[in-house]
Amino acid sequence: MLLLAVDYSENIKFINEENPIEEYHRLELPDTCPICSFGISPECILVHHKSHIITELLCGCPRHECGSLFFAVYKDDFHTELLRFYPYSKVNKKFPEEISEISSEFVTIYNQAHHAEQEGLDLICGVGYRKALEYLIKDFAIGNNSDDIEKIQKMPLQQCVQKYIDQSDIKDMAERAIWLGNDETHYVRKWGSKDIKDLKNLIDLTVYYLSMELKAKKYREEMTK
Ligand SMILES: [Zn+2]
């Protein structure tokens, strides 16, 4: 018999044939591993009734490469709600090399906002995404117009896109990302039906078109006719 300062035996129940996970149908099982971020159907190991409203479920990630254990924490009030996971490792979003080359600041700021979002700070992460976008576009513009560095740095972002971005695909996506980004910084939203997801999609599209442009430029320069 193990001697523990606290007796958990009343509060912990292992999941097994006598006590299958199906018994806990009110607990919505996690569909993503908080450690590796892959979509999973977790192994369920034990249930810990921490208090009369908090239940913790110890899960295992079935992916061979990960295999981590983590807790899903539920609050059981009127209805059961999946509150959070722990441990929680923050995920960095990866960007193509040519993007980090023209604007490493964009990648850093974007990921700070991304971490804030993962922490549940959904009301302020949008401001960070908007700031990241400003660095991306201005650094791209500066890359192509090295004589105008100071002018570009001080210029409102919208104006910078109008003046320095010629490619219509980049311009169209970047402009819309700016509109939504501005919504994140202002008291009143103009685009009520759009949210952070849309802002991130538009930044993704801007990154995508910029990256194509940069790659094509590289080959044109390296392989002149
Ligand atoms: Zn995993």
Side-chain angles (χ1 to χ4, degrees):
M1 183 71 192
L2 278 171
L3 282 177
L4 299 174
V6 181
D7 180 9
Y8 291 101
S9 56
E10 288 289 301
N11 304 332
I12 287 180
K13 291 214 162 58
F14 279 89
I15 303 296
N16 49 33
E17 263 171 43
E18 283 98 74
N19 183 41
I21 188 64
E22 287 73 29
E23 296 283 316
Y24 301 90
H25 46 82
R26 55 195 180 78
L27 306 182
E28 175 205 337
L29 297 184
D31 56 9
T32 308
C33 169
I35 314 296
C36 68
S37 307
F38 276 78
I40 56 162
S41 175
E43 305 289 351
C44 299
I45 300 164
L46 63 81
V47 173
H48 175 216
H49 296 287
K50 191 177 179 185
S51 69
H52 65 287
I53 54 164
I54 298 290
T55 302
E56 297 177 323
L57 174 65
L58 179 61
C59 301
C61 174
R63 288 185 65 242
H64 214 65
E65 300 81 349
C66 177
S68 303
L69 300 183
F70 61 89
F71 277 103
V73 183
Y74 300 88
K75 188 175 167 200
D76 201 353
D77 239 341
F78 295 105
H79 64 282
T80 309
E81 182 192 353
L82 177 54
L83 279 186
R84 60 194 163 85
F85 299 112
Y86 64 83
Y88 201 113
S89 52
K90 292 191 197 84
V91 182
N92 270 331
K93 188 173 161 79
K94 289 201 175 67
F95 290 99
E97 212 172 286
E98 58 277 7
I99 292 293
S100 345
E101 272 167 17
I102 61 154
S103 186
S104 60
E105 295 272 42
F106 160 72
V107 177
T108 306
I109 300 167
Y110 187 102
N111 274 314
Q112 286 192 7
H114 194 38
H115 291 170
E117 188 181 4
Q118 290 169 61
E119 291 274 5
L121 307 177
D122 57 331
L123 297 178
I124 62 153
C125 60
V127 181
Y129 288 128
R130 164 67 176 74
K131 182 172 178 176
L133 180 69
E134 174 143 6
Y135 273 78
L136 177 65
I137 290 169
K138 289 192 168 178
D139 286 344
F140 176 73
I142 287 170
N144 292 334
N145 305 273
S146 47
D147 295 340
D148 289 355
I149 294 183
E150 256 182 65
K151 216 162 126 193
I152 292 171
Q153 283 171 341
K154 287 181 189 150
M155 194 177 257
L157 186 55
Q158 184 86 36
Q159 215 174 309
C160 177
V161 169
Q162 287 299 336
K163 190 165 159 60
Y164 291 101
I165 309 281
D166 303 323
Q167 305 82 343
S168 61
D169 284 334
I170 304 178
K171 198 176 229 166
D172 285 352
M173 294 309 111
E175 271 191 324
R176 280 160 181 78
I178 295 169
W179 297 343
L180 291 192
N182 289 347
D183 259 9
E184 295 297 327
T185 65
H186 295 150
Y187 197 96
V188 179
R189 295 186 83 93
K190 259 194 192 163
W191 301 89
S193 63
K194 298 276 182 282
D195 60 16
I196 290 277
K197 251 192 212 151
D198 297 296
L199 173 59
K200 288 198 296 180
N201 279 337
L202 286 166
I203 294 178
D204 275 351
L205 283 164
T206 307
V207 165
Y208 176 74
Y209 286 126
L210 278 179
S211 157
M212 283 210 312
E213 178 70 23
L214 291 162
K215 268 191 202 147
K217 188 181 162 202
K218 180 172 166 270
Y219 281 107
R220 269 188 222 114
E221 283 169 3
E222 282 176 4
M223 304 171 69
T224 46
K225 280 182 199 161

